[in-house]
Amino acid sequence: MDCNRCDEEAVMHAAYSGAHLCADHFRESVEKRVRRRVRRDDLVPHDATPETPQTWVIGLSGGKDSVVLTRILHDTFAEDPRIELVGLTIHEGIEGYRDKSVEACVELCEALEIRHELVSYEEEFGVRMDDVVEDDPENMAACAYCGVFRRDLLSKYAEELEADLLLTGHNLDDEAQTALMNVLEGDVEQMAKHFDASLGPLSEREEQDEFVPRAKPLRDVPEKEVALYAHLNDLPAHITECPHASEAYRGEIQQLLYDLEENHPGTRHSILSGYEELATIAAEKYAGDDGADLQNCVECGSTTTRDVCRKCSLLEALV
């Protein structure tokens, strides 16, 4: 098939839109969606100037999503002195997995001349995920431990790097899965928290002074299109699944969405669009509701809702 916009051969067909696009027009389409999301979410403040630039820290894992996000943001803001990008990579300590993706992160940041910071569970917490999985004192999935540790380090280093924004490479599939899980669990309050944490435009979120704001500019792009973009641009992405990945419920939701999208193209877009509207309404309902009291963890000083934060309690169990 030929591209809908020129006479070149198409490299992809988007069933949800009916479009056939060549390599150049496909790249343009992906980049346009990311830049549109940056505008819609008000990520560049009106008062940003070259004298007071914004520091955007990207959670750079070396996988296709974060690599593509980094490349597009670099291309967008390379000549804009108001925005400084920093890549933040976290090494979990997984044999034969993270080492290769760290190499991809280093290669990308060197090529783009972006500052790169690398931190590890071993240096920060004295643990490696391979050992955590083997010990498993709480009888939990590996992702449950890893998610707590990863979120803690992203938040900690975003603050240390004086970030104005923390960006992650969540794509359309990721966000549609989360949306459907929250709906199926009937968790309206979580929808409101999702809006204020990373989903809503910065100008519409309830202020949370305790945390660096987060954003997901890649969330309008399907996962397969992210992978194709990485391939066409020959980006140094390490595309492989973590050997400890075991989120059973999310896996079921993922398969459900695959099947629905196959039979009803556009399902993911519809789910996320409707969910964003619901999250906006939920955020308005819970606006001003302080919820649980926030305090400092007595062990590490991080913001938490309990005396000892979840990270510290897990580390204590692992000793």
Side-chain angles (χ1 to χ4, degrees), residues 66-215:
S66 63
V67 164
V68 166
L69 176 62
T70 301
R71 167 64 182 272
I72 294 175
L73 290 178
H74 169 268
D75 291 351
T76 302
F77 294 105
E79 303 300 324
D80 190 336
R82 298 174 303 166
I83 305 296
E84 177 189 1
L85 301 179
V86 180
L88 174 60
T89 301
I90 297 173
H91 196 309
E92 303 93 342
I94 302 172
E95 188 72 28
Y97 171 69
R98 184 55 72 202
D99 290 333
K100 293 183 178 179
S101 58
V102 167
E103 292 174 5
C105 297
V106 172
E107 180 181 345
L108 179 70
C109 288
E110 287 181 349
L112 301 180
E113 298 183 344
I114 291 175
R115 178 182 174 185
H116 181 235
E117 298 290 337
L118 174 64
V119 298
S120 72
Y121 288 1
E122 190 167 22
E123 292 177 353
E124 295 290 325
F125 307 136
V127 301
R128 295 172 56 84
M129 272 308 299
D130 285 341
D131 299 326
V132 171
V133 172
E134 184 175 344
D135 295 340
D136 189 16
E138 299 290 304
N139 192 30
M140 302 191 307
C143 297
Y145 292 99
C146 198
V148 171
F149 297 152
R150 171 174 286 278
R151 284 191 295 273
D152 180 86
L153 286 184
L154 284 173
S155 295
K156 174 183 176 180
Y157 277 88
E159 290 182 5
E160 289 197 7
L161 292 166
E162 298 183 341
D164 296 286
L165 200 59
L166 174 60
L167 304 106
T168 58
H170 291 79
N171 58 51
L172 175 63
D173 296 61
D174 297 326
E175 290 298 280
Q177 290 164 23
T178 298
L180 190 54
M181 289 167 68
N182 285 341
V183 169
L184 292 178
E185 291 171 355
D187 199 339
V188 179
E189 186 172 3
Q190 183 58 37
M191 295 180 197
K193 291 178 180 178
H194 193 182
F195 179 92
D196 287 324
S198 63
L199 202 63
L202 287 181
S203 59
E204 297 178 17
R205 298 184 198 176
E206 188 166 354
E207 290 189 20
Q208 300 180 16
D209 296 333
E210 301 85 0
F211 305 102
V212 173
R214 297 192 178 204

Side-chain angles (χ1 to χ4, degrees), residues 215-284:
K216 301 170 181 176
L218 203 63
R219 74 173 189 262
D220 297 310
V221 185
E223 182 176 22
K224 288 184 178 179
E225 294 183 28
V226 176
L228 179 58
Y229 185 96
H231 172 71
L232 292 174
N233 286 280
D234 196 26
L235 297 179
H238 183 231
I239 303 177
T240 184
E241 185 177 22
C242 173
H244 300 314
S246 56
E247 291 186 276
Y249 184 45
R250 181 174 287 272
E252 290 182 43
I253 297 297
Q254 180 184 54
Q255 188 57 54
L256 173 62
L257 282 176
Y258 281 156
D259 295 340
L260 286 171
E261 188 69 29
E262 181 71 22
N263 296 323
H264 309 282
T267 295
R268 291 166 303 185
H269 291 83
S270 297
I271 288 174
L272 189 56
S273 176
Y275 177 78
E276 287 177 343
E277 188 170 349
L278 287 173
T280 302
I281 296 171
E284 292 173 355

Side-chain angles (χ1 to χ4, degrees), residues 14-64:
Y16 58 85
S17 67
H20 292 84
L21 298 176
C22 67
D24 286 343
H25 283 114
F26 168 71
R27 292 190 191 95
E28 181 183 287
S29 171
V30 172
E31 293 160 3
K32 181 178 179 180
R33 279 174 278 173
V34 173
R35 291 164 182 162
R36 181 178 60 199
R37 178 52 62 188
V38 168
R39 291 194 301 272
R40 286 183 174 178
D41 286 354
D42 304 326
L43 300 190
V44 181
H46 297 298
D47 58 355
T49 66
E51 291 73 32
T52 56
Q54 295 281 298
T55 298
W56 288 6
V57 171
I58 304 170
L60 181 58
S61 69
K64 64 184 185 310

